[in-house]
Amino acid sequence: MIGIIGAMQEEIELLKSKIINIKETKIYENIYYSGIMNRKEIVITKCGIGKVNAAFVTQTLITNFNISAIINIGLSGSVSEELNIGDIVISNRLVYHDVDVTAFGYNLGQIPSFENTFFEADDELINSAKKNEKEDVHIGIIATGDQFINNLEKRREIKEKFNALCVEMEGAAIAHICFLNKVPFVVIRSISDKASGEADSQFEKNLKFATEKLAKILEKIIGDYNGI
Ligand code: ADE
């Protein structure tokens, strides 16, 4: 089964309507919608905002369903000039931009005892996503933290320190749990804002457009993925 996790109701609502034979399972306070999408068995759920919510739901999903891959979808603020509103970013790697144990010699973003600072997304999933590559689909680093980024200074810092394309609030936590469980994953985000001073109003204005683009590409990726 492919597990799909979105942070917000809007992000999963469109996809829910494309599931055949939909079944609802409630675990704790969360509803997991399972069924068939594009000939593949999937289960989709909403995790809420932030790293801890994302980690909790990812582990619950893996523990309770027969999950062979996870796709995290959602919106994201761009930190790179090459990205426009509505562009799609496919993760090759994820990093925490708000983890700092440099005092003990670790890299910025690195969790102590972990060998790597970046969580590597799965090649097979990236390749399925790449088939849909057009000029508005980019592959690169996504940075995650418990902050909605809406200032230019912070935006520049994240780009410079991590060479990230965009920033969001769940991806690396989902990647982290997938890494611990040895489950392949990819994060696919649609750009809703430029993480600058107007990011909050841009986010609200572009929510619908960016979410629709995401739903379209996700359906295709699920059809193309042969890793299960
Ligand atoms: N998700 C969408 N836009 C974002 C931003 N600017 N910062 C963090 N997460 C986001």
Side-chain angles (χ1 to χ4, degrees):
M1 239 180 176
I2 305 175
I4 300 163
I5 303 173
M8 296 165 64
Q9 194 61 34
E10 291 89 338
E11 290 164 352
I12 68 159
E13 205 58 46
L14 265 175
L15 292 164
K16 248 174 68 188
S17 62
K18 297 171 194 270
I19 302 177
I20 302 169
N21 289 340
I22 193 162
K23 182 180 158 213
E24 293 187 14
T25 309
K26 189 172 179 197
I27 307 172
Y28 303 114
E29 286 310 304
N30 246 68
I31 301 178
Y32 294 77
Y33 303 94
S34 52
I36 307 290
M37 184 187 286
N38 230 341
R39 305 174 310 282
K40 303 278 162 56
E41 254 192 291
I42 63 139
V43 51
I44 183 163
T45 194
K46 178 189 86 167
C47 67
I49 308 293
K51 297 191 298 183
V52 175
N53 281 331
F56 174 70
V57 164
T58 307
Q59 187 61 60
T60 306
L61 183 63
I62 293 171
T63 304
N64 290 280
F65 294 85
N66 187 17
I67 296 296
S68 49
I70 287 192
I71 303 176
N72 168 225
I73 52 153
L75 304 181
S76 185
S78 69
V79 297
S80 162
E81 292 312 321
E82 50 179 298
L83 301 186
N84 293 309
I85 302 293
D87 281 9
I88 300 288
V89 177
I90 295 160
S91 67
N92 55 7
R93 328 168 89 188
L94 274 290
V95 65
Y96 290 121
H97 68 71
D98 61 351
V99 167
D100 184 349
V101 196
T102 52
F104 289 89
Y106 293 97
N107 295 327
L108 199 60
Q110 186 180 11
I111 303 278
S113 89
F114 278 32
E115 194 183 332
N116 298 318
T117 305
F118 292 86
F119 297 98
E120 304 288 334
D122 178 64
D123 284 340
E124 184 87 28
L125 284 163
I126 295 173
N127 286 338
S128 307
K130 259 190 191 163
K131 286 188 190 158
N132 298 289
E133 204 168 9
K134 291 187 290 179
E135 71 280 1
D136 62 350
V137 178
H138 311 257
I139 298 178
I141 294 168
I142 300 181
T144 302
D146 279 326
Q147 299 161 1
F148 185 86
I149 306 300
N150 67 342
N151 79 75
L152 284 175
E153 188 57 30
K154 190 80 193 162
R155 178 188 203 261
R156 193 178 50 76
E157 197 184 306
I158 293 171
K159 166 143 181 66
E160 278 178 14
K161 290 188 172 151
F162 301 102
N163 194 24
L165 288 181
C166 64
V167 67
E168 39 82 306
M169 300 177 71
E170 297 82 24
I174 292 170
H176 185 157
I177 298 294
C178 286
F179 169 74
L180 294 176
N181 287 276
K182 299 188 170 56
V183 171
F185 75 90
V186 71
V187 178
I188 301 168
R189 296 273 172 166
S190 176
I191 301 299
S192 56
D193 59 81
K194 300 207 164 175
S196 61
E198 301 84 49
D200 44 346
S201 54
Q202 283 179 352
F203 177 90
E204 282 172 351
K205 181 168 154 246
N206 299 317
L207 178 73
K208 189 163 179 288
F209 168 63
T211 309
E212 281 168 3
K213 280 201 68 169
L214 202 54
K216 265 191 210 135
I217 190 167
L218 183 79
E219 217 188 341
K220 286 201 204 120
I221 292 169
I222 286 172
D224 288 341
Y225 179 56
N226 290 316
I228 52 166

